[in-house]
DNA sequence: CGCGTTCTTGACTGCTTTCAAAGATGGTGG
DNA sequence: CCACCATCTTTGAAAGCAGTCAAGAACGCG
C-alpha cells in the first residue's frame, strides 16, 4: 500500500501509521486494534486501477463496499448530448459502494481520475468487536450526504468565484484529515476541465477565475500542486464552516 | 391520518388502503401484515405541524426517524447574506431524520412547506419479522441519495428550461408512487419563489420560463395545481429516466 | 525532441439577474 | 357578500456573469 501510494501520488515515503487512508478512517471513529488490523489486512490485498477507468457504472449492480486507499476518483453523471456533471470526489480513506438494500444498483458512475489503489472494506457484520468499524462507515456515509448537500448549495447559489473557493476549501479539509495537505498545499490532479465539470462551469471560465485568484494572491494551482495561500481570506469569502456530522462529546 | 390528509391536502376522502404515505412505503419493499400494522399504529399517533415550521435545524442533534404522512417539506441551507438554497423535498411516504451513527447531527434544516402530518417511523430493530421495514428504509435512503445526485446534475449542467422540466417530472413520478398524481395532474403547493430557490433561479426567471412552457402547451401551473399536459414531450426534452435503485427480479 | 494534452487569450453572444412597479389572487373580517 | 390586505404573479428595461468559438502558447510525457 505504502509503495503504491508513493509511486502514485509522488509523496515521500512515510511511516506506516500515517498511511493517509487509514488515518482518515481512524479519524471517523475510535477503532480497536483488532479493527485496525482488519483494515491493514484488507489494504494488503489492494488492487491498482489506472486512471480514467470506470469502477462502477450507473444502473449496473452495485459493487461491494470498497475503500479508496490512494488516488482520486469521481462520481459522474453523463448527458445524452455529451455533457457531463461530476457529482463529487472520493479521496483516500473514503468508502464507496456501500448499500444496505437487496439487489442494489449503483446510483452513479465512478471513475478514477488518477491511478488509484482500492481494497475491499472489512465487513463489520454483527460482530460486537467491530462496532467501531460500523460507526466509521456510518459517519463516512453521513459525510458523503453532507458533501452532496453542500455541493447542491454551491451550484445553486454561488457564482463561479465562490464555487471554486468553497470547493477548494472542502477538498483541502478532506485531504488534511488524511494527512495529505500541509499548510494549504496539496497534490491536485484535476485539470481545469475536470474542475469545470464538477462546478458546473466551462474550463475557460475556470481558467479566467483561477487567474484572477492568482493575481489576488489568494491561491496558486500549477504543476499538479494547489497552494491555498490565504486560507482565512478564502474562508471569509464563502463563510466556510468545517464539515461536521457528529456532536462533540461533552 | 386520513382525516388529516383530507383536511391538509384538500383531497377527496379515499379508502384506507390508498393512504398515500403508506402506499409509497409499501412500494419500496414487500411488507408483512405485521409491518403494515406497525405503520398504521405509528400513523395513528401522527402530529400536525403548520406550514413554514422548522422540523430540524442544521447542526442540531438529529431527530429520530420520522415518516412524512401528508404535506410537503423541504431541506434547505441558508447563506449569510440571506440567500437560501433548497436541497430537496420530502413528499408523503418519505422517511426523514435517519442516521446510523452515534450523536448524529442533522446535516440540513428541514422546513414544512405546507401544513404537514408526521409520525415516528416504526423501529425494525433486529427483529427478523421486520426485515421488510428495514429493506424499505434502506431503499428510501438509496432513493434520497439518487435524488441528491440528480439534483446536482440538474443544477450543474441544465439551463432554466430543462431544470424546471426535469424537476417537475421527478416530483410527478414521486407523487404518482403515493397515488397523489393522476394523468399528469397533482396538487402543487410551491410558489415560484420556492421553485427558484430549489432550482437555483430567481422567481422572475421561473415565472418567464413557466409562461413560455404554458404558451407551448407543455404544462400549466395555477391555483395550486400542476398539470403536465405533454409528459412524453417533457421527458424527451431532458431524456428523463425513471428513478430506480433496485434491480428488477429476474 | 516531438506530439498530444492542457492552459491561456480575445471577441462576441446570450441566458439569467437585478430593480422596480403594476396586476392578480386568495383568504379574512366587517 | 364585499372590501381589504398580504402574498404571489407578471411585466419591462438594463446590466452582468458565464458560455461559445477559435486559435495560439505552454507543458509534460515518451
Amino acid at each position: 500500500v505504502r509503495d503504491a501510494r508513493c509511486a502514485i501520488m509522488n509523496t515521500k515515503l512515510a511511516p506506516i501509521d500515517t498511511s493517509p487512508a487509514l488515518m482518515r478512517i481512524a479519524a471517523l471513529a475510535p477503532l480497536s486494534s483488532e479493527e485496525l488490523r482488519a483494515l491493514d489486512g484488507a489494504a494488503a490485498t489492494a488492487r491498482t486501477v489506472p486512471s480514467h477507468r470506470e469502477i462502477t457504472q450507473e444502473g449496473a449492480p452495485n459493487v461491494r463496499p470498497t475503500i479508496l486507499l490512494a488516488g482520486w476518483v469521481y462520481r459522474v453523471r453523463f448527458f445524452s448530448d455529451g455533457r457531463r456533471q461530476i457529482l463529487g470526489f472520493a479521496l483516500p480513506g473514503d468508502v464507496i459502494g456501500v448499500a444496505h438494500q437487496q439487489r442494489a444498483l449503483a446510483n452513479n458512475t465512478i471513475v478514477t481520475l488518477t491511478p488509484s489503489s482500492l481494497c475491499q472494506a472489512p465487513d463489520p457484520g454483527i460482530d460486537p468487536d467491530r462496532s467501531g468499524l460500523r460507526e466509521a462507515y456510518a459517519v463516512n456515509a453521513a459525510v458523503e450526504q453532507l458533501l452532496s448537500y453542500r455541493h447542491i448549495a454551491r451550484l445553486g447559489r454561488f457564482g463561479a468565484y465562490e464555487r471554486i473557493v468553497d470547493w477548494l476549501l472542502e477538498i483541502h479539509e478532506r485531504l488534511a484529515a488524511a494527512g495529505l495537505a500541509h499548510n494549504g498545499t496539496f497534490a491536485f490532479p484535476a485539470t481545469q476541465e475536470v474542475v469545470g465539470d464538477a462546478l458546473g462551469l466551462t474550463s475557460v471560465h475556470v481558467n479566467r477565475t483561477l487567474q484572477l485568484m492568482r493575481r489576488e494572491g489568494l491561491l496558486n494551482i500549477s504543476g499538479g500542486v494547489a497552494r491555498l495561500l490565504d486560507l482565512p481570506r478564502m474562508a471569509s469569502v464563502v463563510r466556510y464552516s468545517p464539515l461536521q456530522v457528529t456532536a462533540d462529546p461533552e
Side-chain angles (χ1 to χ4, degrees), chain A:
Chain A
V1 183
R2 291 185 294 293
D3 289 351
R5 178 169 57 84
C6 296
I8 290 164
M9 302 298 287
N10 279 319
T11 59
K12 215 173 53 182
L13 188 66
I16 179 165
D17 58 0
T18 63
S19 169
L22 297 191
M23 178 188 299
R24 191 265 174 172
I25 292 176
L28 296 176
L31 298 179
S32 68
S33 55
E34 194 277 325
E35 290 166 327
L36 289 171
R37 261 198 311 281
L39 287 170
D40 263 329
T45 68
R47 67 198 159 99
T48 296
V49 180
S51 57
H52 312 302
R53 290 289 196 290
E54 290 189 355
I55 297 174
T56 70
Q57 213 164 1
E58 184 177 340
N62 201 8
V63 296
R64 63 184 78 182
T66 301
I67 296 175
L68 177 62
L69 293 168
W72 287 32
V73 307
Y74 58 88
R75 307 171 190 280
V76 64
R77 196 169 154 81
F78 294 99
F79 295 81
S80 46
D81 61 358
R83 288 179 292 185
R84 66 173 189 174
Q85 174 64 40
I86 290 179
L87 309 170
F89 293 82
L91 304 176
D94 282 352
V95 186
I96 60 182
V98 177
H100 295 290
Q101 91 237 211
Q102 305 293 316
R103 296 197 306 283
L105 298 178
N107 52 22
N108 54 75
T109 299
I110 301 183
V111 183
T112 53
L113 177 65
T114 67
S116 301
S117 171
L118 300 160
C119 73
Q120 193 177 329
D123 184 358
I126 54 167
D127 188 338
D129 286 349
R130 291 200 170 173
S131 63
L133 262 187
R134 254 196 312 282
E135 175 77 2
Y137 294 159
V139 173
N140 178 80
V143 169
E144 200 177 305
Q145 190 175 50
L146 180 59
L147 291 173
S148 290
Y149 287 142
R150 283 187 179 229
H151 203 45
I152 289 172
R154 194 146 52 210
L155 294 175
R157 285 296 178 228
F158 275 171
Y161 191 98
E162 294 168 304
R163 277 185 220 179
I164 293 175
V165 167
D166 188 59
W167 179 74
L168 284 175
L169 286 172
E170 191 177 275
I171 294 290
H172 173 258
E173 181 182 356
R174 293 172 64 195
L175 289 175
L180 290 172
H182 307 279
N183 231 339
T185 301
F186 49 91
F188 186 80
T191 64
Q192 294 178 356
E193 173 144 19
V194 167
V195 175
D197 284 341
L199 298 180
L201 302 166
T202 59
S203 62
V204 172
H205 199 59
V206 169
N207 181 277
R208 291 196 233 267
T209 308
L210 285 177
Q211 282 180 64
L212 172 60
M213 293 171 177
R214 207 175 303 157
R215 283 197 299 275
E216 293 176 337
L218 204 62
L219 55 83
N220 191 323
I221 298 179
S222 68
V225 175
R227 290 171 217 280
L228 310 188
L229 302 172
D230 195 341
L231 287 168
R233 189 145 59 96
M234 286 180 71
S236 78
V237 167
V238 294
R239 308 284 179 99
Y240 187 82
S241 60
L243 300 164
Q244 186 169 13
V245 298
T246 301
D248 300 316
E250 293 302 290

